[in-house]
Amino acid sequence: MKVSRIAAVGALAGTGVLALSVPAFAHVSVQPEGTAAKGGYAVVDFKVPNERDDASTTKLEVTFPTDHPLASVMPEAIPGWKAKVTKSTLDKPLEMHGKKITEAVSKVTWTADGEGIKAGFFQKFPVSVGTLPEDADELVFKAIQTYSNKEVVRWIEVPQEGQEEPENPAPVLELSAAEEGHHGSSSSAEASDSDDAEAASAKTDAAEPADSSDTTARVLGVVGIVVGALGVAYGVIAGRRRTDA
């Protein structure tokens, strides 16, 4: 009986560990290639996994945020996929490089020419975007994934801070702090490097006379010792000659 109970407890414990170790289902996500700094440009990848064993992903629709519109959106050409960029008129025009922008990209749609993303695979859809807003910490992109069997999965639920991740979360792009170079700090950095180089050169120049003086002193010291030794030797020899005489 004890053995049976121990076995049953062990089986239940193993089942619990297995349940905890099962990974959550993957979902459509977005990540920058490098950084996505506020006020700058970035290349972001929409990563789309295929979660079905009996169907392929044949279409992806990504809706771009309207609260922080992006005037420049350029998808990368991907073999086997067609990309369509949809623009819409802005309620409030944007200023970019001294020009007034009246429309921005509202959606990008990728459609597979062939089988699309097969079971057990994923696909990245790179997009160049800019300029990124300076008054936001993140951008939410709602996505719709369509399978070859006509099934549609809507990744449109916005994650809320302090709450559990929703079942179908929308892709969220985290923005990093604005890079210093965005405001011309590159010149400042070059000036700083130049100042450091000049300081190092000044230290080297200041050190050279001291090294030179030290070397000269050593040489004179050695010469003095040699001369002194020769003088002593000469005196000894002269003394012997006098004695012999």
Side-chain angles (χ1 to χ4, degrees):
M1 291 294 292
K2 291 183 178 180
V3 175
S4 299
R5 290 179 180 177
I6 293 173
V9 172
L12 289 174
T15 303
V17 172
L18 181 62
L20 291 175
S21 63
V22 174
F25 287 110
H27 51 77
V28 176
S29 60
V30 59
Q31 290 293 333
E33 294 184 5
T35 59
K38 298 178 181 179
Y41 286 78
V43 175
V44 299
D45 294 333
F46 291 95
K47 182 179 178 182
V48 182
N50 190 85
E51 298 179 331
R52 302 294 181 266
D53 295 330
D54 57 350
S56 298
T57 296
T58 56
K59 187 178 181 180
L60 174 68
E61 299 174 72
V62 176
T63 300
F64 282 68
T66 56
D67 53 343
H68 295 288
L70 301 174
S72 176
V73 175
M74 293 185 293
E76 180 178 321
I78 302 175
W81 294 82
K82 291 181 179 179
K84 179 183 178 182
V85 178
T86 302
K87 294 184 178 181
S88 60
T89 302
L90 298 174
D91 295 333
K92 183 179 179 180
L94 297 175
E95 289 288 340
M96 181 177 292
H97 304 299
K99 295 182 179 181
K100 185 173 292 186
I101 307 298
T102 58
E103 62 179 12
V105 172
S106 56
K107 184 170 65 174
V108 177
T109 304
W110 288 270
T111 306
D113 287 337
E115 294 181 335
I117 308 172
K118 300 179 181 179
F121 291 86
F122 72 91
Q123 176 70 52
K124 288 183 179 181
F125 298 87
V127 183
S128 174
V129 297
T131 55
L132 297 173
E134 297 184 2
D135 57 347
D137 295 324
E138 63 183 24
L139 293 178
V140 178
F141 300 86
K142 296 183 179 182
I144 298 178
Q145 182 179 13
T146 303
Y147 287 90
S148 56
N149 60 1
K150 307 303 180 182
E151 179 186 0
V152 176
V153 181
R154 301 177 183 276
W155 305 98
I156 60 175
E157 299 178 64
V158 181
Q160 301 296 328
E161 186 176 355
Q163 298 182 11
E164 293 184 1
E165 185 179 67
E167 184 176 354
N168 294 317
V172 178
L173 176 66
E174 300 290 340
L175 303 181
S176 60
E179 296 179 353
E180 294 181 356
H182 176 61
H183 297 290
S185 67
S186 176
S187 298
S188 300
E190 291 176 0
S192 177
D193 293 340
S194 177
D195 292 341
D196 292 341
E198 290 179 2
S201 177
K203 289 181 180 179
T204 302
D205 293 341
E208 286 180 354
D211 293 342
S212 178
S213 299
D214 186 56
T215 302
T216 302
R218 291 180 181 179
V219 171
L220 292 177
V222 172
V223 171
I225 293 173
V226 173
V227 172
L230 291 175
V232 172
Y234 178 78
V236 172
I237 294 173
R240 286 181 179 178
R241 288 180 179 177
R242 291 175 183 176
T243 303
D244 293 340

